[in-house]
Amino acid sequence: MDLNFNKNEDFNKLTLAELKKKLLKVYKGGGEKRIKILHSKGKLSARERIDYLFDKNSKSIEIGAFTGENMYTEHGGCPSGGVVVKIGYISKKQCIVVANDATVKAGAWFPITAKKNLRAQEIAIENKLPIIYLVDSAGVYLPLQDEIFPDKEHFGRIFRNNAMMSSSGITQISAIMGSCVAGGAYLPIMSDEAIIVDKTASIFLAGSYLVKAAIGENIDNETLGGAKTHCEISGVTDYKASDDKDALDKIRNIVSKIGAPENAGFNRTKPKKPSEREEDIYGLLPKLRSEQYDMKEIIKRLVDNSEIEEYKANYGKTIICGYARIDGWATGIIANQRKVIKNSNKEMQFGGVIYSDSADKATRFIANCNQKKIPLVFLQDVTGFMVGSKSEHGGIIKDGAKMVNAVSNSVVPKFTIIIGNSYGAGNYAMCGKAFDPRLIVAWPSARLAVMGGAQAAKVLLQIEIAGLKKKGEVISPEKEQEILSTIESKYDKQTSPYYAASRLWTDGIIDPLDTRKWISLGIEAANQSPIEKRFNLGVIQV
């Protein structure tokens, strides 16, 4: 190994250590003190509930661990968006679980909480996955009610989705394990089956204080909406559980009876590990996002037996397309090549840039994968499309539009891994969040923005200086550098993978060595949802 490899390895392992440190903090939710309060009431935390529910020693992935990171600081923060979402196995069946974290503002719903719940439901709908709700929530966080209540993608959309999922046969099971108030009471009761925990859980449209204020009736919460009331008098809930573990055992028992889903028929053979050393990824991936590297070497550490059948290998070289297997699953890989390449006509092509020939190749490959029913995996490290008179005269907009069209209309499941840069229209063409990847995750090395930091900072600097000069201010070189540094600092923060993950632009930030697991579990989930549409590019400029 060369010195540069060792420097890269040290740097990337440090960023990975930072990721793990941040995750440990996230896993504590509202803090150890609040977890102890839950335990004193005989309740488990949200993560403990999910861990107990999932099959022991089975694989799982967490959606949106960093949701809400550094958001709502004036309200005390909202770790993980106040709700934990995981995909895993219950009684050997793949399910998605949504658990309110009562240590975060008593499980109250912030705007980002609603967005995360909707993302969980979207995953369940796309993949026809059974969805389990572990409810323990005080309802909408009132100081921010105007950002969560009335719009299309707000709180009410969750109940609409409950109804739509029920009509399409997607299993929904709820366990009421704490407070369940007002509009939030509809979620568990719009599920197929509802379990309620005796003494520690309650569900009602209005609590005892509001009832007293509204109609003058004196009643306690347990009598108003406890387990005895709803299992013996109202019939609102279906099962009464003695404690958290009993409720979770009932869910496992119910799930174990669910019939086998229809199969989409994606091809899978016996999984094989990469023949190349997977840990080499840390040394191959450069420290700086501007540095070049060979994406093929990364791919060899991600695919079974390190084998890829490359499509049009000598054409459109700034995008690599090829067939491979990941954990046994057949996949079509589309990856940005980050090496500087010389064509046969001795022209230079810059790594990470999409040229007309690359876009044309990718479009054809996407069509082939759709015809063969092969899921697509996008490995992003893209700075955008090539600019300049030669590219414009050659129709780069047309070829880019064709690629975006193919990505948009693709009917096979798509999975996106943001390895490095994800800039501008390159993000779109390589299946960014707006183009419905079943899962989209970032490595700690990722950067998401409309353009690279250096270019953006210079543009923003010119705009700000022009504004100051209009006001008659004289800008010294030192002042200009100060302004530039401020802009670069702010822009760098906004391009961070943590900034993106906190807003659910990605489903998470992962260790590169977990990439195979995410893709494999994602394709397994997608395999439960047969493809019902035909691939059609629609109208395109040829």
Side-chain angles (χ1 to χ4, degrees):
M1 301 296 177
D2 62 22
L3 182 60
N4 197 47
F5 182 98
N6 293 334
K7 287 181 178 178
N8 290 338
E9 186 175 42
D10 290 344
F11 176 79
N12 286 314
K13 284 187 175 180
L14 280 173
T15 62
L16 182 61
E18 181 187 3
L19 168 64
K20 291 179 178 178
K21 184 179 178 181
K22 285 177 177 286
L23 282 171
L24 286 175
K25 183 179 178 182
V26 162
Y27 293 159
K28 293 179 182 178
E32 291 181 357
K33 183 179 178 181
R34 290 176 183 171
I35 292 173
K36 286 180 181 178
I37 292 172
L38 281 184
H39 289 168
S40 70
K41 296 177 180 178
K43 297 166 70 173
L44 300 173
S45 70
R47 292 180 185 280
E48 289 169 338
R49 287 166 176 169
I50 294 176
D51 288 344
Y52 183 87
L53 187 57
F54 280 165
D55 297 344
K56 283 183 171 40
N57 302 317
S58 62
K59 292 181 179 179
S60 65
I61 53 178
E62 181 169 354
I63 305 297
F66 287 108
T67 303
E69 177 87 354
N70 294 322
M71 296 173 68
Y72 312 115
T73 52
E74 68 276 24
H75 297 277
C78 188
S80 280
V83 63
V84 182
V85 176
K86 283 191 174 184
I87 299 173
Y89 298 90
I90 302 171
S91 298
K92 297 183 180 179
K93 287 186 172 58
Q94 198 176 35
C95 301
I96 185 164
V97 180
V98 181
N100 297 116
D101 188 347
T103 70
V104 180
K105 289 284 191 288
W109 289 59
F110 283 69
I112 201 68
T113 315
K115 185 175 182 179
K116 187 170 178 179
N117 274 265
L118 289 170
R119 175 60 178 148
Q121 289 184 324
E122 179 183 37
I123 291 170
I125 292 166
E126 287 180 330
N127 300 292
K128 291 186 165 53
L129 277 184
I131 184 167
I132 315 299
Y133 305 102
L134 307 181
V135 185
D136 194 345
S137 171
V140 167
Y141 184 62
L142 289 177
L144 297 173
Q145 65 85 27
D146 61 320
E147 297 178 40
I148 189 175
F149 174 65
D151 209 348
K152 181 179 178 180
E153 299 298 328
H154 282 179
F155 197 48
R157 187 75 170 184
I158 292 161
F159 312 134
R160 175 264 189 194
N161 286 350
N162 286 141
M164 298 295 288
M165 283 191 281
S166 182
S167 69
S168 61
I170 298 170
T171 298
Q172 301 175 85
I173 302 167
S174 288
I176 303 158
M177 309 182 82
S179 178
C180 191
V181 184
Y186 285 106
L187 185 148
I189 307 310
M190 291 189 74
S191 299
D192 303 327
E193 294 179 275
I195 301 157
I196 186 168
V197 179
D198 195 21
K199 299 295 187 286
T200 58
S202 58
I203 179 170
F204 31 64
L205 292 183
S208 56
Y209 292 120
L210 185 55
V211 168
K212 172 69 174 175
I215 63 173
E217 181 182 1
N218 285 305
I219 190 168
D220 63 88
N221 281 340
E222 182 65 25
T223 306
L224 182 66
K228 182 178 179 66
T229 295
H230 286 309
C231 286
E232 299 178 21
I233 300 173
S234 72
V236 165
T237 52
D238 305 305
Y239 308 94
K240 180 165 70 172
S242 57
D243 56 22
D244 279 12
K245 289 185 177 180
D246 185 34
L248 298 169
D249 287 337
K250 290 182 186 302
I251 292 173
R252 291 180 58 82
N253 192 39
I254 295 168
V255 171
S256 72
K257 309 296 191 300
I258 298 173
E262 290 184 60
N263 198 290
F266 301 130
N267 185 287
R268 193 181 197 187
T269 59
K270 185 178 179 180
K272 295 180 181 178
K273 291 280 188 181
S275 59
E276 300 285 348
R277 186 174 175 269
E278 294 176 66
E279 290 81 3
D280 285 350
I281 287 173
Y282 302 130
L284 292 166
L285 195 66
K287 176 180 177 179
L288 299 177
R289 295 276 49 82
S290 56
E291 290 181 9
Q292 303 291 309
Y293 64 96
D294 190 350
M295 180 65 83
K296 290 181 184 178
E297 294 301 318
I298 300 290
I299 293 171
K300 287 178 184 178
R301 274 78 182 173
L302 296 176
V303 301
D304 291 13
N305 216 31
S306 299
E307 294 176 344
I308 180 169
E309 186 68 34
E310 197 171 347
Y311 173 79
K312 291 184 180 291
N314 296 312
Y315 176 75
K317 291 184 179 181
T318 63
I319 288 184
I320 300 165
C321 297
Y323 302 108
R325 290 189 182 275
I326 295 177
D327 200 36
W329 293 104
T331 58
I333 292 178
I334 301 170
N336 303 112
Q337 176 57 288
R338 284 305 310 268
K339 289 199 310 181
V340 173
I341 297 163
K342 287 185 179 180
N343 283 341
S344 55
N345 59 4
K346 297 184 179 179
E347 288 184 353
M348 194 78 76
Q349 287 195 334
F350 298 99
V353 179
I354 302 175
Y355 290 77
S356 285
D357 55 357
S358 304
D360 176 65
K361 178 173 78 171
T363 301
R364 295 189 190 195
F365 183 69
I366 291 167
N368 283 344
C369 287
N370 273 270
Q371 186 182 53
K372 295 178 177 70
K373 205 155 66 171
I374 299 173
L376 293 165
V377 174
F378 292 83
L379 303 178
Q380 284 196 13
D381 194 343
V382 58
T383 52
F385 285 87
M386 190 58 189
V387 297
S389 60
K390 185 174 181 180
S391 293
E392 298 293 359
H393 297 169
I396 186 67
I397 297 174
K398 174 186 67 179
D399 291 318
K402 285 194 292 186
M403 183 176 173
V404 170
N405 200 316
V407 172
S408 303
N409 286 296
S410 183
V411 297
V412 295
K414 299 166 291 193
F415 302 89
T416 301
I417 314 297
I418 305 173
I419 290 175
N421 300 323
S422 181
Y423 294 156
N427 169 282
Y428 300 159
M430 291 294 293
C431 197
K433 183 67 181 287
F435 293 81
D436 299 322
R438 296 294 177 96
L439 294 171
I440 176 170
V441 293
W443 290 1
S445 48
R447 289 290 181 271
L448 288 82
V450 72
M451 67 174 70
Q455 301 95 315
K458 288 174 183 176
V459 171
L460 292 168
L461 176 67
Q462 290 170 12
I463 293 170
E464 186 156 344
I465 287 176
L468 292 171
K469 284 182 177 179
K470 278 186 178 180
K471 295 177 182 178
E473 293 189 30
V474 177
I475 310 298
S476 67
E478 292 77 17
K479 180 65 174 177
E480 184 174 318
Q481 184 57 48
E482 181 186 333
I483 295 170
L484 179 61
S485 297
T486 302
I487 291 170
E488 285 177 336
S489 176
K490 181 180 178 181
Y491 199 83
D492 186 59
K493 179 183 176 182
Q494 292 178 348
T495 63
S496 160
Y498 294 98
Y499 191 90
S502 72
R503 288 152 179 79
L504 270 177
W505 300 345
T506 65
D507 292 318
I509 306 169
I510 67 168
D511 181 344
L513 300 190
D514 285 335
T515 304
R516 284 170 53 85
K517 179 177 75 170
W518 273 78
I519 294 170
S520 179
L521 291 182
I523 297 176
E524 183 181 344
N527 200 37
Q528 299 185 50
S529 180
I531 296 172
E532 297 172 352
K533 296 180 180 179
R534 289 180 62 86
F535 177 67
N536 189 333
L537 277 178
V539 177
I540 58 173
Q541 299 288 334
V542 295

